[in-house]
Amino acid sequence: MLSDFDALKEHFADSSGLHSLDALDMTRIPRHISCIMDGNGRWAEARGLMRAEGHKQGIVALREIITTAVRLGIDVLSAYAFSTENWNRPQHEVNLLMHLFAKTFIDELPLLKRENVQVRFLGDIGALPKKTRDVFEMGLAECRQHTGMVLALAVNYGGRAELVRAVQDLAQLVQSGDMRPEDISEAHLAEHLYTANLPDPELVIRTSGEMRVSNYLLYQIAYSEFYITDTYWPDFDRWELLEAIYAYQQRQRRFGGLVSVSNTPA
Ligand code: FPP
């Protein structure tokens, strides 16, 4: 039986990354890594392929990042799959993405089971087409007993909409007399976000070089470190994930203070 670290080394056996696994401080792996998966369309266009091929390859990349994150012992991996603004894309692309989400979830269920991955959706999945919604609900039920890494998929997610929803929940509690306005705290607000009970991401990765937050986890990323890479999402692989974590480990996090706070998870 391989030890966890040996298994991890085996996972990186054909290492060609700039930093070897040995360069990482395994005691300071972020608990929550979040990915803004961008550049699927441009990856395809650069190869003269249909955008659909970029999304399909993006799913292959996500699979590799999930298995790597599990081996690294990450607690939460979140990924931005579809924003509340993505409905504005051409109808055929929206349809394709909804179809791919459902198909991917069915195809990847064996992997999620094998890796004991807990699944959460961030966003209003009730507003998705029925077939996609049904598959997601079936998948959630299938993964309910899992106890391993949390995979949080942001689908039909918008950070502003999430905050409005949380404020409405709290307003209801005030209206019903269950809470006083002055008692509302940051912790209460966080409890009413889709990410309730999940740690905030220490590291946010955005691919394809865009320097934007794009309405993603607006509340939760207050003190996150960013790693922006020109790599298009379909080419983002386990080596670059190591690069991102290595870069994170070189940062000094001060959370608004003057003293550097260890980026070791508590
Ligand atoms: C951004 O590329 C990517 C997306 C809109 C979709 C990403 C989704 C996945 C990889 C699959 C997720 C799987 C499940 C089950 C939810 P883009 O189209 O914005 O690329 P562009 O900026 O180059 O046009």
Side-chain angles (χ1 to χ4, degrees), residues 61-133:
L62 180 58
R63 182 187 305 135
E64 174 163 333
I65 297 308
I66 293 171
T67 50
T68 305
V70 169
R71 274 155 194 70
L72 285 167
I74 287 160
D75 292 339
V76 184
L77 175 71
S78 53
Y80 204 4
F82 193 88
S83 74
T84 44
E85 290 70 39
N86 285 152
W87 297 108
N88 297 325
R89 292 190 175 203
Q91 191 60 43
H92 65 86
E93 180 155 338
V94 170
N95 293 345
L96 171 92
L97 283 168
M98 292 300 147
H99 166 75
L100 274 182
F101 292 162
K103 178 173 166 12
T104 305
F105 212 80
I106 293 170
D107 291 350
E108 302 305 336
L109 256 181
L111 170 103
L112 299 174
K113 283 176 185 272
R114 194 172 64 241
E115 304 287 357
N116 191 26
V117 171
Q118 304 183 58
V119 177
R120 287 263 298 256
F121 285 102
L122 313 179
D124 180 10
I125 65 165
L128 300 179
K130 183 171 174 350
K131 174 150 186 268
T132 309
R133 201 172 65 222

Side-chain angles (χ1 to χ4, degrees), residues 37-42 51 55 58-59 62 81 89 101 104 155:
M37 308 181 287
D38 199 8
N40 290 353
R42 279 164 287 164
R51 289 176 60 82
H55 293 313
I59 288 164
L62 180 58
R89 292 190 175 203
F101 292 162
T104 305
V155 183

